[in-house]
Amino acid sequence: MILHMRSRSLTTGGALALACLCAGPALARQVTKETVPGITNLARLETTIACAGAVTPEAVPEIKKMGFVSIINLRLATEPGADVAREEAAAKAVGLRYFHVPFNGTADPDAAGRFLDVIMAEGSQPAFVHCAGGNRAATMWLIKRIAVDRWDVERAVSEATALGQTSPTLQRFAIDYAKSHPR
């Protein structure tokens, strides 16, 4: 009897340890940070989405090589270093779809709605979404996860934080917008 209980305990413990070992790498590979010349603060969620900061037009071919089919630029054309026209030309030159959805980093329901339209458009994913630092890009992805994918807030916020979402004000806007505009 004691031998049977010990064997059962070892089997249960072994199964639990194996589950933890398998789950660890799966969780760890969800969001990865990469260094790519010409791209600031790159955080990638497997091949579904990348949220990043500033991108130079010279880095666009690398985005294509990473497997993305579109670029969604959230930068205002007036931001220092934002060269929207050159970035769009570089994207089109390598066969990427290009969308410019200006988002100034304040509660902007129009920008959120346009972002959802673009990210949900057929053939736009996997998408490379960027702003100047990554916060606005991850905020828009947070909206998508709640409004479209129906993720619970805690899970969506956790992923957005890993992707670079840092502003409590934008986080609150994203949650409120997504809950009031489900798709």
Side-chain angles (χ1 to χ4, degrees), residues 23-86:
L27 292 173
R29 73 171 181 254
Q30 286 182 354
V31 174
T32 58
K33 306 285 183 166
E34 299 176 41
T35 301
V36 176
I39 301 175
T40 304
N41 299 333
L42 176 59
R44 186 172 173 181
L45 179 62
E46 297 174 358
T47 57
T48 304
I49 187 80
C51 292
V55 172
T56 63
E58 294 75 23
V60 170
E62 189 62 32
I63 293 168
K64 171 86 173 183
K65 288 179 191 172
M66 287 188 263
F68 294 98
V69 299
S70 69
I71 294 175
I72 303 172
N73 182 352
L74 301 174
R75 297 185 78 186
L76 303 177
T78 56
E79 287 180 40
D83 195 342
V84 175
R86 278 191 61 227

Side-chain angles (χ1 to χ4, degrees), residues 57-145:
E58 294 75 23
V60 170
E62 189 62 32
I63 293 168
K64 171 86 173 183
K65 288 179 191 172
M66 287 188 263
F68 294 98
V69 299
S70 69
I71 294 175
I72 303 172
N73 182 352
L74 301 174
R75 297 185 78 186
L76 303 177
T78 56
E79 287 180 40
D83 195 342
V84 175
R86 278 191 61 227
E87 184 179 322
E88 181 176 11
K92 289 181 178 179
V94 296
L96 290 172
R97 295 180 74 187
Y98 186 84
F99 304 95
H100 183 224
V101 181
F103 176 42
N104 67 6
T106 62
D108 184 348
D110 291 335
R114 286 193 308 271
F115 174 79
L116 289 177
D117 290 343
V118 167
I119 198 72
M120 293 173 53
E122 188 173 331
S124 67
Q125 289 189 47
F128 185 94
V129 184
H130 80 90
C131 54
N135 179 46
R136 290 176 282 172
T139 297
M140 288 297 186
W141 187 249
L142 172 59
I143 292 170
K144 192 260 188 197
R145 283 301 202 189

